[in-house]
Amino acid sequence: MALTIGVDIGASKIAAGVVDEAGRILRRVRVATPREPDRVESAVCDVVEAVRGDHPVAGVGLGAAGFVDEKRATVLFAKHIGWESEPLGAVVEKVLDLPVTVENDANAAAWGEARFGAGRGRDPVVCVTVGTGIGGGLVVNGGLYRGRYGVAAEFGHLPVVPGGLVCGCGSRGCWEMYGSGTALVREARALVAAGTPEAAPLLRRAGGTVDGLTGPLLTRAAGEGDQAALGLLAGLGHWLGVGLAALAAVLDPACIVIGGGVGAAGELLLGPVRESFREHLTGRGHRPEAAVRPAALGNDAGLVGVADLARRPLG
């Protein structure tokens, strides 16, 4: 059985695992991501060696949050790590003496969910990862759709509000400015700053400071019945549904998988998402409707997905 190693390179942590052909993680290691961009590649090599042990590994897949070129070798731009035109694949391959495949982390998560998770047996599959921003991936006809230059499925930068909030990409009104974990926290802090009475319990949970209002805190509060937190998740769900309806109008997927850190809110978020999706779906009531499902692999989706992609030739 061919074993490969998947590595999920994030802004705060690097997670690696030995993965078999069934998508099972046999061994895993996790370390903090170095703050210096020029040290990240060394840390990746170290974590691969640490997890490899005596496993007969056939290749390595690296998932990075950023634009990856069409050859799946170079990170064209990774804002949160500080890379531009970084030859990640070549550098790591030279050190490890193993074949290396590089992929965008959201693409890798989409592939993991389509192969082994919530999208298994469905086609096409759209995967939307909701965290600090919105990432995306698209699996069509049993293959990962990457576009001509390798940077397809950047769903978070769909324009949903003309002339809206300025996004980090430089455009205005991008979907992730309204449907991400960052948007959820921003709205929570605005609610508290406005002195809304129902927000008082949230402020107490946050230790009396708006800086303590985080996505995980808001998700926990909603799960415990906090009305302000539930309302905030419903607002987030509305915007996610708006964007998903736009994707469905273009892509007509069989299944939409919602993952990422905010996706951990489960039905508290997915209920409003589905309601908004149906409300905004083009031709609603006269067409089949894509299933909207929670991710099954959780934070392991990218690691498992990129390990599986390392077994597959480009094309």
Side-chain angles (χ1 to χ4, degrees), residues 6-228:
V7 184
D8 185 4
I9 307 168
S12 61
K13 54 85 181 172
I14 300 172
V18 177
V19 182
D20 69 14
E21 289 179 326
R24 294 174 297 214
I25 300 175
L26 307 183
R27 185 182 181 191
R28 66 172 78 222
V29 171
R30 175 173 169 166
V31 299
T33 304
R35 293 185 179 181
E36 301 84 357
D38 58 356
R39 292 183 53 210
V40 175
E41 285 156 333
S42 294
V44 168
C45 294
D46 289 345
V47 78
V48 168
E49 292 289 14
V51 77
R52 182 180 186 179
D54 58 359
H55 290 290
V57 174
V60 177
L62 307 178
F67 293 156
V68 176
D69 76 331
E70 71 272 21
K71 296 180 180 179
R72 297 197 309 196
T74 300
V75 179
L76 301 174
F77 178 63
K79 175 183 176 183
H80 298 296
I81 297 177
W83 282 338
E84 289 189 36
S85 299
E86 190 70 25
L88 178 62
V91 172
V92 175
E93 195 167 277
K94 182 177 181 180
V95 173
L96 298 178
D97 195 27
L98 283 170
V100 173
T101 297
V102 184
E103 186 54 85
N104 168 268
D105 60 345
N107 280 352
W111 183 253
E113 289 291 342
R115 284 274 291 138
F116 307 108
R120 189 172 185 176
R122 302 290 186 105
D123 198 311
V125 176
V126 166
C127 184
V128 176
T129 54
V130 186
T132 303
I134 293 179
L138 174 63
V139 177
V140 183
N141 295 330
L144 183 63
Y145 181 77
R146 307 184 74 253
R148 170 62 183 85
Y149 302 107
V151 294
E154 288 291 331
F155 299 146
H157 300 290
L158 285 171
V160 296
V161 179
L165 296 170
V166 177
C167 178
C169 74
S171 297
R172 286 185 175 270
C174 291
W175 188 22
E176 70 175 37
M177 295 305 297
Y178 300 88
S180 65
T182 299
L184 178 69
V185 172
R186 183 189 68 235
E187 292 300 308
R189 293 179 178 179
L191 200 65
V192 168
T196 308
E198 69 174 0
L202 280 181
L203 188 59
R204 287 195 293 271
R205 285 176 180 268
T209 171
V210 292
D211 290 340
L213 291 169
T214 63
L217 180 144
L218 294 168
T219 299
R220 288 195 301 273
E224 294 169 9
D226 183 278
Q227 292 303 302

Side-chain angles (χ1 to χ4, degrees), residues 222-268:
E224 294 169 9
D226 183 278
Q227 292 303 302
L230 287 167
L232 289 163
L233 278 181
L236 183 68
H238 162 79
W239 283 112
L240 285 171
V242 168
L244 293 183
L247 292 178
V250 177
L251 302 172
D252 189 27
C255 179
I256 299 172
V257 179
I258 306 294
V262 181
E267 289 302 317
L268 294 175

